[in-house]
Amino acid sequence: AQSVTQLGSHVSVSEGALVLLRCNYSSSVPPYLFWYVQYPNQGLQLLLKYTSAATLVKGINGFEAEFKKSETSFHLTKPSAHMSDAAEYFCAVSGRVQGGSEKLVFGKGTKLTVNP
Amino acid sequence: GAVVSQHPSWVICKSGTSVKIECRSLDFQATTMFWYRQFPKQSLMLMATSNEGSKATYEQGVEKDKFLINHASLTLSTLTVTSAHPEDSSFYICSVTKQGSYGYTFGSGTRLTVV
């Protein structure tokens, strides 16, 4: 079984500051890990995903995340926050099965606020 | 990447009526589709998983007779909320994937309001 814990339901940063959103996972099989962003009343947009290739994953909009197996973590970072980054962020995990992947399990989400 | 169209974006219906939400995979054959429900300021709750041509697998606590899911083709899945009540008001989102793929694409969501 898989589960995700996102530390901090709200994170507030100043524009230009470092963004760090924390995600720890639990998985009984080698995991796939994802970060999604959601703007109000919209679906989810994939920021990046880890599928067992490089442990440092670069995504869209300047975001990146590092898979650390020893820490069971997949934290999301961005060097310099922009006002447009204000949104809800979800970390998700799925287990690898032959031929594909299982259902996604989501964390509770972290709302990012960017202050001018 | 994959493109998913979800329709309608929002719908208001009267209590007791049924509402159908469509999820279409526009550019690839989706072997598996997922339906999620999201309450305000909360995470996504998986309702069911559907594979083309077979019955949907519902998560524990989800009423299969109330939330009817049909996955008739590799490009279309529908969620019908039957005899809707105000407590069914929520944001519903579909997601698609295909065998051999390691990614999921989400629809833009449907805001359902039952009055």
Side-chain angles (χ1 to χ4, degrees):
Chain A
Q2 289 78 40
S3 67
V4 170
T5 301
Q6 289 184 242
L7 301 175
S9 58
H10 289 85
V11 170
S12 182
V13 301
S14 298
E15 190 174 18
L18 171 71
V19 176
L20 171 61
L21 304 182
R22 299 178 187 272
C23 173
N24 288 89
Y25 70 92
S26 173
S27 179
S28 55
V29 298
Y32 297 137
L33 293 158
F34 306 79
W35 274 100
Y36 287 91
V37 61
Q38 185 181 34
Y39 296 97
N41 292 311
Q42 294 188 28
L44 274 68
Q45 180 183 12
L46 178 67
L47 285 175
L48 48 82
K49 63 182 178 183
Y50 167 76
T51 56
S52 80
T55 56
L56 181 61
V57 181
K58 294 186 182 298
I60 62 172
N61 301 338
F63 286 94
E64 63 181 37
E66 186 172 7
F67 172 70
K68 292 187 177 180
K69 184 177 179 180
S70 61
E71 298 178 8
T72 61
S73 69
F74 191 58
H75 303 330
L76 181 71
T77 60
K78 181 174 180 177
S80 177
H82 192 272
M83 296 297 289
S84 61
D85 295 327
E88 188 87 22
Y89 291 80
F90 293 97
C91 182
V93 63
S94 70
R96 301 181 209 169
V97 296
Q98 186 176 4
S101 50
E102 299 177 335
K103 61 187 180 185
L104 275 176
V105 176
F106 285 89
K108 293 184 180 296
T110 298
K111 183 176 182 179
L112 176 66
T113 300
V114 181
N115 303 305
Chain B
V3 179
V4 176
S5 174
Q6 187 173 340
H7 179 80
S9 298
W10 59 270
V11 58
I12 301 173
C13 71
K14 291 185 177 181
S15 186
T17 62
S18 295
V19 173
K20 180 182 287 187
I21 302 170
E22 290 188 351
C23 179
R24 292 184 182 272
S25 173
L26 298 183
D27 55 353
F28 78 94
Q29 296 181 327
T31 52
T32 304
M33 291 187 171
F34 305 91
W35 286 96
Y36 294 85
R37 182 175 182 176
Q38 186 179 30
F39 292 101
K41 302 186 188 301
Q42 293 190 28
S43 188
L44 283 74
M45 180 190 76
L46 181 65
M47 299 174 66
T49 302
S50 73
N51 294 294
E52 186 265 341
S54 60
K55 289 185 177 181
T57 301
Y58 290 81
E59 295 298 301
Q60 190 173 8
V62 177
E63 299 176 61
K64 60 181 65 177
D65 293 331
K66 180 166 190 60
F67 299 100
L68 301 179
I69 292 172
N70 183 281
H71 192 164
S73 75
L74 288 171
T75 59
L76 174 64
S77 176
T78 59
L79 167 66
T80 301
V81 183
T82 63
S83 187
H85 289 95
E87 57 265 31
D88 299 324
S89 298
S90 192
F91 194 58
Y92 294 88
I93 308 175
C94 70
S95 174
V96 307
T97 188
K98 65 178 179 180
Q99 191 171 11
S101 167
Y102 305 104
Y104 307 79
T105 303
F106 287 80
S108 56
T110 298
R111 172 73 61 193
L112 170 63
T113 302
V114 184
V115 298

